[in-house]
Short mmCIF file of all heavy atoms in Angstrom, two decimals:
data_model
loop_
_atom_site.label_atom_id
_atom_site.label_comp_id
_atom_site.label_asym_id
_atom_site.label_seq_id
_atom_site.Cartn_x
_atom_site.Cartn_y
_atom_site.Cartn_z
N THR A 170 -5.92 -14.95 11.72
CA THR A 170 -5.70 -14.30 13.00
C THR A 170 -4.48 -14.83 13.71
O THR A 170 -3.83 -14.23 14.45
CB THR A 170 -6.91 -14.34 13.87
OG1 THR A 170 -7.29 -15.75 14.16
CG2 THR A 170 -8.06 -13.65 13.33
N HIS A 182 -20.35 2.37 4.50
CA HIS A 182 -21.60 1.78 4.16
C HIS A 182 -22.01 0.61 5.17
O HIS A 182 -22.45 -0.40 4.76
CB HIS A 182 -21.77 1.25 2.71
CG HIS A 182 -21.80 2.28 1.66
ND1 HIS A 182 -22.69 3.41 1.72
CD2 HIS A 182 -21.09 2.48 0.54
CE1 HIS A 182 -22.41 4.13 0.68
NE2 HIS A 182 -21.55 3.67 -0.05
N ILE A 184 -20.16 -1.38 6.68
CA ILE A 184 -19.34 -2.60 6.62
C ILE A 184 -17.97 -2.25 7.17
O ILE A 184 -17.35 -1.28 6.66
CB ILE A 184 -19.23 -3.17 5.20
CG1 ILE A 184 -20.58 -3.58 4.71
CG2 ILE A 184 -18.26 -4.34 5.14
CD1 ILE A 184 -20.58 -3.95 3.19
N LEU A 197 5.95 -9.37 6.07
CA LEU A 197 4.87 -9.37 5.10
C LEU A 197 3.82 -8.31 5.56
O LEU A 197 3.42 -8.36 6.75
CB LEU A 197 4.23 -10.68 4.94
CG LEU A 197 5.08 -11.89 4.55
CD1 LEU A 197 4.29 -13.19 4.66
CD2 LEU A 197 5.47 -11.65 3.10
N VAL A 201 -4.99 -2.14 1.85
CA VAL A 201 -5.99 -2.00 0.74
C VAL A 201 -6.11 -0.66 0.23
O VAL A 201 -6.69 -0.43 -0.79
CB VAL A 201 -7.37 -2.68 1.10
CG1 VAL A 201 -7.23 -4.02 1.44
CG2 VAL A 201 -8.01 -1.84 2.22
#
Side-chain angles (χ1 to χ4, degrees):
T170 58
H182 291 310
I184 297 172
L197 300 172
V201 298

